[in-house]
Amino acid sequence: MRELVLTVNGRSVHEHVDDRLLLSDFLRHSLGLRGTHVGCEQGVCGACTVQVDGRAVRSCLMLAAQAEGCHVETVEALAEPDGPLSALQDAFRRHHALQCGFCTAGFLMSLEPFLRDHPEPTEAEVREALAGNLCRCTGYEAIVEAVIAAAREPR
Ligand code: FES
Ligand code: FES
């Protein structure tokens, strides 16, 4: 066990964790942030993507202990429970960019930092940015449309 101090969704967190605990399990089971989904648990599907110090990271490939002192954001940080959706979430809703929704949190958490770095992305850049996230339902077209719309439309 070790002491772990970090910031999660703007809140200071102080917990005791097993050295081998994955960040994905820490977020879901220790903190109850179940918006982060776990699919393959081997770095392939992207469903578990969160942001660590502003960068998209697969939380199934990172130990909770490695997040010591970091700022971690999960999909729950994108909007308040009763507040408006983020621009990207709203674009996903309007463009039907999700069906079962299992992959959606991972896409959103990968794409938010991408849009910060690429405020006017081309379709090719969006497709490249999506390459690390798998979706079994949508065929990706609507996701690409949503990302481009979120970049173009006023927030
Ligand atoms: Fe982490 Fe699939 S659950 S990449
Ligand atoms: Fe079902 Fe993507 S919406 S896996």
Side-chain angles (χ1 to χ4, degrees):
M1 295 289 278
R2 68 169 62 218
E3 204 173 327
L4 176 63
V5 180
L6 73 168
T7 303
V8 179
N9 296 342
R11 187 169 63 93
S12 182
V13 172
H14 189 167
E15 296 269 343
H16 286 86
V17 298
D18 189 280
D19 287 347
R20 297 171 300 174
L21 183 67
L22 295 173
L23 180 59
S24 51
D25 290 336
F26 174 68
L27 294 169
R28 287 175 53 81
H29 303 306
S30 302
L31 303 187
L33 295 169
R34 296 206 169 84
T36 300
H37 290 167
V38 173
C40 66
E41 289 193 277
Q42 52 185 346
V44 175
C45 73
C48 65
T49 305
V50 300
Q51 291 169 31
V52 177
D53 292 337
R55 294 178 51 203
V57 167
R58 281 152 160 55
S59 60
C60 75
L61 294 184
M62 184 169 172
L63 297 172
Q66 292 175 293
E68 170 69 31
C70 294
H71 289 258
V72 175
E73 290 199 315
T74 68
V75 70
E76 286 89 348
L78 296 184
E80 294 294 325
D82 297 320
L85 298 174
S86 73
L88 185 59
Q89 285 175 309
D90 194 48
F92 265 57
R93 181 185 61 80
R94 286 182 288 108
H95 290 268
H96 308 290
L98 66 149
Q99 289 179 28
C100 78
F102 189 83
C103 67
T104 307
F107 272 94
L108 293 170
M109 298 313 283
S110 295
L111 291 166
E112 287 273 341
F114 166 75
L115 283 174
R116 281 200 293 273
D117 293 341
H118 301 80
E120 295 179 17
T122 64
E123 183 176 328
E125 287 173 330
V126 172
R127 288 187 183 279
E128 190 178 334
L130 297 180
N133 291 77
L134 301 182
C135 175
R136 290 186 159 201
C137 304
T138 64
Y140 301 97
E141 292 300 323
I143 295 177
V144 173
E145 283 173 23
V147 179
I148 290 174
R152 288 189 183 153
E153 291 164 12
R155 303 194 173 202

